[in-house]
Amino acid sequence: MEALNLFIKSIFIDNMVFAYFLGMCSYLAVSKTVKTSVGLGIAVTFVLLITVPVNYLLDTYVLKEGALVWLLGEDAASIDLSFLSFILFIALIASMTQIVEMVVERFTPALYAQLGIFLPLIAVNCAILGASLFMQQRAFPNVGHATVYGLGSGLGWMVAIVTLAAVREHLKYNKIPAPLKGLGITFILVGLMSMAFMGFMGIKL
Amino acid sequence: MLVNPISKNNPVIVLVLGICSALAVTAQLKPALVMGLSVTVVVAFANVIISLLRNTIPARIRIIVQLVVVAALVIIVEQFLKAYAYEVWGQLSVYIGLIITNCILMGRLEAFALGNRPFDSFLDGIGNGLGYTLILVIIAFFRELLGSGKLFGFQVIPDCLYEAGYVNNGLMIMPPMALIVVGCIIWVHRSINKDLQEK
């Protein structure tokens, strides 16, 4: 039940885009058509689903204060490596995207053809690193919760990009003041969507 | 090189880089300014380091090399803020770590530092950092002034106005207004620089 609550919360209330502005660069650049944005959404969800739990394990068994006790015995209780977390998280994310890319290419060439160009870009998408840092900050009790959080944030990001792409496809036919065209109106649009998502605040299962 | 990125090639409102943190930390002026300066320092030094290494980095693994250099610099900045500005460090929370994936960094490293000399790269980094800081400060100015009636934490809207019925616009400090304020800044900027308008 608690996990389901976390899942719903990470999709709608703590939405990566509307509440924390994560992954904005690719969000604005790729949301021109629904088809490509669905592809990128799936890729982001996929990578989040893998990196958040793996980084959770890294954090719990290597980085946290006293996390090395299982390896080095009681003497290690005072070792705190958490200042290294940025560099290790990003290295792990970069190598994970590399592995995911190879696995997808090997086993599902059709999906690879669709995602191909986006996968390498994902390593520098701040939604991925952001989810790992939020995971560390919120101190989830077990790896299951971390997995659910990763999946939920990915789906939330996907919902955001697909809806924006759908609106932008229709925007083409409207008359917009010249200085607002393109980027300006998109920002205001995302602001209004974010306001709508504020309506989910306070929902608790 | 130093002036160009401040308006005509501004990283945030023209090249659309580094939006995430520009929106998230701008509810108040102080964290926005600290964030802007941190990014300036990181971009400038990452540019210099990558520019010095540019002839020795193999092209295929350059992204990982860049990430490692940037991550190391960000750790230094984070530890520095934690030691000397603990309160702001708490407000910025995960967004300091997210400087690593700030697109301004990757963009400048790829587009400039890999092909230019260290001193030019340094100036380019400072210019882009300042362009970013400028936008952050403008957004934060409006959000803090209208959202909580303060600037840098000091009250600027006089009490008599509140007594006369003036109310702070609470929505300004919520996420949606950050996006709309950026939209308006782009609107103004493009009305002045007509050549930037999209067709």
Side-chain angles (χ1 to χ4, degrees):
Chain A
M1 200 61 210
E2 207 180 321
L4 183 69
N5 192 14
L6 180 68
F7 183 65
I8 300 290
K9 216 175 142 197
S10 52
I11 296 182
F12 293 109
I13 303 165
D14 292 340
N15 187 293
M16 278 281 157
V17 175
F18 297 134
Y20 297 110
F21 313 113
L22 295 178
M24 275 309 240
C25 300
S26 40
Y27 178 74
L28 293 171
V30 185
S31 58
K32 285 194 179 109
T33 59
V34 172
K35 206 175 159 217
T36 46
S37 56
V38 170
L40 186 66
I42 293 173
V44 166
T45 312
F46 200 50
V47 173
L48 272 174
L49 182 62
I50 295 169
T51 53
V52 174
V54 175
N55 276 335
Y56 179 84
L57 295 176
L58 184 72
D59 188 43
T60 324
Y61 292 109
V62 181
L63 295 173
K64 254 195 226 162
E65 191 172 0
L68 284 168
V69 170
W70 64 277
L71 188 67
L72 305 172
E74 283 306 312
D75 310 336
S78 62
I79 299 180
D80 182 3
L81 294 177
S82 51
F83 68 92
L84 282 177
S85 49
F86 293 162
I87 207 162
L88 286 181
F89 282 179
I90 196 71
L92 199 134
I93 288 167
S95 45
M96 271 296 156
T97 34
Q98 211 44 244
I99 293 172
V100 167
E101 194 182 346
M102 285 191 270
V103 170
V104 172
E105 189 180 9
R106 172 76 183 73
F107 292 105
T108 52
L111 185 65
Y112 181 76
Q114 214 178 29
L115 300 184
I117 34 167
F118 300 123
L119 279 171
L121 276 180
I122 286 177
V124 287
N125 183 326
C126 37
I128 311 286
L129 182 64
S132 286
L133 293 176
F134 275 121
M135 171 276 295
Q136 187 187 33
Q137 198 185 41
R138 287 180 197 173
F140 290 126
N142 58 49
V143 72
H145 278 169
T147 317
V148 167
Y149 178 71
L151 180 65
S153 321
L155 288 177
W157 199 86
M158 187 169 158
V159 167
I161 193 168
V162 174
T163 42
L164 178 68
V167 179
R168 277 182 83 174
E169 277 189 356
H170 288 274
L171 214 58
K172 271 185 287 201
Y173 308 111
N174 292 335
K175 263 186 110 98
I176 298 159
L180 263 181
K181 248 182 205 162
L183 197 58
I185 193 73
T186 310
F187 267 105
I188 293 177
L189 195 61
V190 179
L192 294 175
M193 283 165 69
S194 163
M195 244 181 240
F197 265 68
M198 273 171 67
F200 288 114
M201 251 184 226
I203 290 181
K204 218 171 153 65
L205 285 182
Chain B
M1 211 170 288
L2 199 57
V3 184
N4 205 23
I6 291 178
S7 169
K8 282 269 166 171
N9 265 321
N10 189 290
V12 182
I13 57 173
V14 179
L15 305 176
V16 212
L17 300 173
I19 304 286
C20 322
S21 49
L23 299 168
V25 300
T26 49
Q28 287 168 353
L29 264 171
K30 204 167 145 201
L33 193 62
V34 172
M35 183 73 182
L37 294 179
S38 312
V39 170
T40 310
V41 170
V42 175
V43 183
F45 286 100
N47 257 354
V48 172
I49 294 172
I50 292 294
S51 173
L52 286 170
L53 294 173
R54 71 185 187 279
N55 295 325
T56 51
I57 303 174
R60 294 184 62 189
I61 59 157
R62 64 178 194 284
I63 303 258
I64 296 196
V65 174
Q66 288 164 1
L67 280 176
V68 170
V69 168
V70 173
L73 285 167
V74 171
I75 290 175
I76 296 171
V77 169
E78 196 226 5
Q79 297 291 322
F80 182 83
L81 286 181
K82 203 171 169 182
Y84 293 101
Y86 191 79
E87 199 189 321
V88 179
W89 175 80
Q91 284 173 324
L92 290 173
S93 70
V94 302
Y95 292 100
I96 305 175
L98 288 174
I99 297 177
I100 301 172
T101 48
N102 192 318
C103 328
I104 294 180
L105 277 153
M106 288 315 240
R108 290 333 290 170
L109 294 177
E110 281 281 307
F112 199 89
L114 277 175
N116 287 286
R117 279 176 305 170
F119 185 66
D120 294 346
S121 304
F122 181 72
L123 286 185
D124 181 75
I126 297 275
N128 276 285
L130 290 179
Y132 174 81
T133 311
L134 179 71
I135 298 297
L136 253 68
V137 168
I138 296 175
I139 305 172
F141 174 81
F142 286 112
R143 286 183 75 194
E144 194 177 1
L145 182 67
L146 300 174
S148 43
K150 295 173 182 169
L151 288 177
F152 284 107
F154 298 106
Q155 193 177 335
V156 286
I157 303 226
D159 281 327
C160 57
L161 259 179
Y162 283 108
E163 282 157 21
Y166 176 81
V167 183
N168 286 326
N169 182 353
L171 196 60
M172 287 304 279
I173 48 174
M174 304 296 284
M177 284 315 284
L179 292 154
I180 292 177
V181 171
V182 178
C184 294
I185 293 176
I186 293 174
W187 190 357
V188 172
H189 187 251
R190 291 197 176 173
S191 309
I192 301 166
N193 299 296
K194 291 216 162 35
D195 50 319
L196 291 172
Q197 293 173 6
E198 289 169 47
K199 289 208 180 70

